[in-house]
Structure formats: structure tokens, C-alpha cells
Amino acid sequence: MYSLKPIVSDFDVEKPKNMYVIKEINPREEKADKFLTNLETSLAVGKEGDLGDLEEKQEILLEKLKELKRQLVSLQDGLPLCRKPAQVPQESVFPKDLVINVNPAAIPYSLLLMLKQKRSPLTFTVNFYTHSTVSQLPEEAAEFAKEIAGLSTGSGTKVEVIWKAGMPTNFEVIINPTAVFWGEGNFIRYLTRLGVLEKGQEGDDILVDMSHQLQAIGEDRKEQAKLADRLMGAMRKQKITQSVDFATYSALRNFRNATKSGKVDGVLKEIEGRL
């Protein structure tokens, strides 16, 4: 291949002597140098500077906290403290006052059993009132109130039973102005959750629901009789607890009152025998 002769070769350029010379300056390097210098100066402050005062105060505060901890430990060791968590007594979780609105066609016999049972007796003071919606109290309801009055202890939870008709369901519990629930079965569940009644077992809720349904279909005697037979048959297949006894007794006794049928007498006596 051919080659070309260089057009420009290395050569010295003579600077004109009639111009002044300026020293080269790099602004970034100058600022960085000043920052490092200032930082070193601030870190080099001794006990007399701001950082020294802060460290000194921090050390004093830590010493005071250590001393406070030692004092608290010494006080704790000298006191007869119980290390077990405090147990809330049953009376403190159970409400002191209850209002129960009851349709006189569905007498709450569960209250009667709660006062009569001996396994874990409950103390109630029960008072009865009649709402203006009830023109005449049925004989069974009057006998129930009389029997309850003979068992009421005069102490414990104050229960106001109001005979009232025209409610969406036969049983309404009012614990306070903001806590209201419906159904005798739910009242029994409520007492079980509080620990007032013995803890239930699997299958209890089904029997309690059947008891509720037995009273809810009171207008249809034929269907009510079929459900009563199913309920009594289901009771024989599992171990019975308090919640089932109270719910089924109330439902079956109301069924007997309405139908004048004696076929449930044996079951009622069996439940009474378990008290």
C-alpha cells in the first residue's frame, strides 16, 4: 500500500510574550477540599465543644436510667407479688341485672331448672311483670311464676321477667341498652360461653336449635309432634349436658302444655333426675 506524508508534525508553539499567564483552577476540587477541612475541624472538637457536651449529658442520663432500674428491681424483690395471672371470679363476668321479655305461650322453664339443679346452682332473684299486650295470663304461666318465687334466693343476679305478646320471637334478653339478643337457646348458649353453665360438646348446638324450632312452629301441631319425636330420638344418641337439658326440657314441657300429650313425661322426669 502507498503511504502519505504527515501533514502536521510535532512542533513547538512559541507563546506570545505580550500576554499574562493565568493559574489553572478546578472549582470542584476546591469545594471538596474546604468540606473535608471543615469536617475534620468539627470532629476534632474536644470536651469543651458541642459534641463533647452532648456525649457528657448522654452518659449522665444512661447512669440515671441504670440506677432507676436497680431501684425498681429491689422494690419488686421486696414485695409479695403473685406471678400467676389474676383469675376473674364468675360473679364479675355475669351481669347483675337481666330483663327477659317472654311470650306467656312459651314459658321459660330453663330458668326453673337453673334454680332447681344441684350440679352448679345459680343464684337468681326473679320478679315477674305483665305487659299491657297480655290481657290475661295463662294458668301455666301463673303456676310457673309461683314456683319460681318459691325457689328464688333473694340474692345474686336480678332477673326481671316481663310477660309480653306480639314479639318477633318468644324470648328476648336485654343485658343493657346496647346488648339485646333473641331466643331461649341463645340465652343458654350465652350462659355457657360465660362459664356459668358447664361447657357443652359437639352436637349440643343441633339439639338446642331443634328445641328452639319446636317452640317456633307451635302453630302447626302436626309438624311440632314430628319434631318432638326427632328431638327425643336425637337426645338418646349422645351424652347430655346442661345446655341441652335446659333447652330441651323447656321446649318439651311447653309442647306438652300445648298438646296435653303425656308421651314426653318420661323424658321430662329423666331430665329432672339429672339435676
Side-chain angles (χ1 to χ4, degrees):
M1 295 180 64
Y2 63 90
S3 61
L4 296 175
K5 183 178 179 182
I7 299 174
V8 178
S9 58
D10 294 337
F11 61 94
D12 294 332
V13 177
E14 293 186 2
K15 296 178 182 181
K17 297 181 179 179
N18 58 348
M19 295 181 65
Y20 57 89
V21 180
I22 299 176
K23 182 181 180 181
E24 293 184 2
I25 298 175
N26 190 331
R28 293 183 180 180
E29 291 183 2
E30 185 178 2
K31 289 181 180 179
D33 291 343
K34 287 184 179 180
F35 173 77
L36 293 174
T37 303
N38 293 335
L39 180 62
E40 291 175 357
T41 304
S42 62
L43 294 176
V45 176
K47 290 291 181 181
E48 299 80 15
D50 294 337
L51 290 178
D53 292 340
L54 182 61
E55 290 176 4
E56 200 170 319
K57 291 177 182 179
Q58 191 176 18
E59 290 176 2
I60 295 173
L61 180 60
L62 289 174
E63 288 298 326
K64 288 183 177 180
L65 289 174
K66 290 179 182 178
E67 179 62 27
L68 179 60
K69 181 179 178 181
R70 284 193 291 268
Q71 292 177 6
L72 291 175
V73 171
S74 63
L75 286 174
Q76 185 179 9
D77 293 339
L79 292 175
L81 299 177
C82 178
R83 305 300 178 186
K84 295 181 180 179
Q87 296 188 359
V88 181
Q90 191 179 84
E91 299 80 25
S92 64
V93 297
F94 194 64
K96 296 181 180 179
D97 299 287
L98 286 174
V99 176
I100 302 176
N101 293 319
V102 183
N103 190 322
I107 300 170
Y109 286 108
S110 60
L111 290 178
L112 180 63
L113 251 62
M114 290 177 194
L115 290 173
K116 291 177 68 174
Q117 55 101 21
K118 300 178 179 63
R119 283 182 284 180
S120 54
L122 305 177
T123 54
F124 289 150
T125 301
V126 186
N127 296 311
F128 288 88
Y129 304 91
T130 303
H131 193 263
S132 59
T133 54
V134 179
S135 57
Q136 185 177 359
L137 197 64
E139 183 181 349
E140 291 87 357
E143 289 294 326
F144 169 79
K146 185 178 179 180
E147 191 173 5
I148 285 284
L151 295 171
S152 189
T153 61
S155 60
T157 298
K158 184 179 179 182
V159 180
E160 309 285 350
V161 177
I162 302 174
W163 301 112
K164 184 178 179 182
M167 298 185 296
T169 186
N170 294 329
F171 196 96
E172 177 190 31
V173 182
I174 304 173
I175 301 174
N176 57 55
T178 59
V180 179
F181 56 88
W182 300 86
E184 190 173 2
N186 286 332
F187 176 60
I188 293 169
R189 288 188 181 101
Y190 170 70
L191 297 181
T192 304
R193 301 296 189 272
L194 290 181
V196 176
L197 301 180
E198 67 183 23
K199 186 178 180 181
Q201 60 182 8
E202 187 178 357
D204 281 6
D205 283 337
I206 296 175
L207 295 179
V208 172
D209 288 340
M210 289 176 67
S211 302
H212 173 77
Q213 188 179 4
L214 181 62
Q215 298 198 71
I217 61 173
E219 299 297 326
D220 190 337
R221 299 302 180 196
K222 187 176 181 180
E223 288 299 321
Q224 195 179 32
K226 291 180 181 178
L227 184 57
D229 290 338
R230 286 175 51 205
L231 176 59
M232 290 185 288
M235 288 175 63
R236 299 187 186 100
K237 296 180 181 179
Q238 76 170 68
K239 182 181 177 181
I240 303 301
T241 58
Q242 281 183 324
S243 59
V244 172
D245 272 346
F246 294 153
T248 55
Y249 183 89
S250 186
L252 290 173
R253 188 164 173 181
N254 277 292
F255 168 72
R256 188 193 66 178
N257 290 348
T259 59
K260 306 301 179 185
S261 172
K263 66 178 181 179
V264 298
D265 285 346
V267 178
L268 295 177
K269 290 179 180 178
E270 183 181 339
I271 295 174
E272 290 174 349
R274 288 197 289 264
L275 297 177

